[in-house]
Amino acid sequence: MAPSLDSSANLFCYEFSDDWDDGLGNFCQEDILHNTQLTVGLVNQAELDGLITSLMEKESDHILQADYFQRFRERILDARAREKSVKWLLKVQAHYKFGPLTAALSVNYLDRYLSQHWLLKGKEWMLQLASVACLSLAAKMEEIEVPLLLDLQVEGAVPIFEPRTIQRMELLVLSALDWRLISVTPFSFIDYFIEKLAIREQFRRPLLSRINDLVLKTLEDTRFLQFRPSCIAFAAALHALEETLPIKLTECKEILSTFPSLQQSS
């Protein structure tokens, strides 16, 4: 059985070293080489195909516990509590104008942590604490300027945690994630799809904006936990193209056929 999230209750008395953040330098070289952001325009189509295939292979490295989605379906875990936390994360992301990848990473960290721990009823504060810690870690990974831990707790955050408590929670999250913070998310694939479709510059911004909005909406719904990031990215791209550039829809579906694993999941 998964360990209880009640272990977080010990955060107020368990002492960690003040140099808790030194371990941030312990990322595997493999993770650095598989950064989730593709630099498009610098490689040819064959190299892009190779990069996307590599990312799809990496998806399984950060997979959730096999029964995580099922626990929500059977109401063992509270989907509403998770939805409330994710909505709060998205509000803070909008408040500070963080990039969409920061939001996706924070939810990714939260789900990977929760998939290994039971969320005890009546202790929703633990979920809020985990949410703050995951957002803090994601912001440190992606943002140039990161608010102080106290300032990060805006948009109706209740209760308010002391910075030291959040830092201890960050360590618990890092341990559960095995310090693997560079995750493959749906945003890892979006630039690739746009590049493959050779979308003109004037159409890229509205298309990317719509795809980003669609992907962010999927973060709240537990039903999307059963799908891989690449599938969510491609589905969002298809839907956005149908709305904004239907002339490219057929071409987008042809790209799907070049990746059998995507085709099987669609």
Side-chain angles (χ1 to χ4, degrees), residues 188-203:
S188 307
F189 300 88
I190 293 173
D191 284 343
Y192 163 78
F193 290 137
I194 300 300
E195 187 73 7
K196 287 284 287 184
L197 288 168
I199 302 294
R200 292 182 180 180
E201 194 63 35
Q202 63 265 36
F203 299 121

Side-chain angles (χ1 to χ4, degrees), residues 15-203:
E15 292 297 329
F16 288 99
S17 170
D18 289 335
D19 59 350
W20 63 275
D21 59 342
D22 288 349
L24 286 173
N26 292 335
F27 295 123
C28 298
Q29 182 66 19
E30 182 184 11
D31 279 338
I32 301 300
L33 292 174
H34 288 84
N35 198 338
T36 58
Q37 292 300 290
L38 292 173
T39 304
V40 297
L42 301 180
V43 293
N44 59 37
Q45 292 296 319
E47 289 172 323
L48 278 174
D49 288 347
L51 284 170
I52 202 68
T53 299
S54 177
L55 281 171
M56 292 170 70
E57 292 171 351
K58 287 285 291 180
E59 287 180 305
S60 59
D61 289 355
H62 305 109
I63 198 168
L64 302 173
Q65 292 283 333
D67 65 338
Y68 184 54
F69 171 68
Q70 194 64 28
R71 278 186 265 160
F72 283 110
R73 289 192 61 181
E74 296 175 359
R75 299 185 179 180
I76 297 174
L77 292 180
D78 190 347
R80 290 186 179 180
R82 178 193 175 276
E83 180 183 354
K84 180 180 178 181
S85 292
V86 174
K87 283 184 176 179
W88 177 79
L89 289 170
L90 293 176
K91 286 181 180 179
V92 180
Q93 179 244 344
H95 179 92
Y96 283 110
K97 295 181 172 59
F98 291 157
L101 180 57
T102 299
L105 283 176
S106 62
V107 176
N108 175 276
Y109 300 160
L110 182 63
D111 281 324
R112 286 164 59 196
Y113 178 75
L114 292 179
S115 73
Q116 301 179 41
H117 297 77
W118 294 102
L119 176 61
L120 301 181
K121 292 183 178 180
K123 298 197 175 180
E124 288 78 9
W125 65 267
M126 295 181 183
L127 181 57
Q128 178 62 23
L129 177 57
S131 299
V132 176
C134 290
L135 178 59
S136 172
L137 290 171
K140 291 171 185 175
M141 288 293 294
E142 288 300 319
E143 302 299 329
I144 297 175
E145 296 183 4
V146 180
L148 297 174
L149 291 174
L150 282 176
D151 295 336
L152 201 59
Q153 300 176 80
V154 294
E155 296 293 340
V158 178
I160 301 296
F161 300 99
E162 294 182 356
R164 188 173 179 83
T165 302
I166 300 170
Q167 290 174 350
R168 293 171 178 172
M169 187 69 220
E170 287 179 340
L171 272 181
L172 290 181
V173 173
L174 286 168
S175 178
L177 272 54
D178 197 25
W179 290 79
R180 300 177 70 86
L181 298 187
I182 301 179
S183 303
V184 177
T185 75
F187 293 107
S188 307
F189 300 88
I190 293 173
D191 284 343
Y192 163 78
F193 290 137
I194 300 300
E195 187 73 7
K196 287 284 287 184
L197 288 168
I199 302 294
R200 292 182 180 180
E201 194 63 35
Q202 63 265 36
F203 299 121

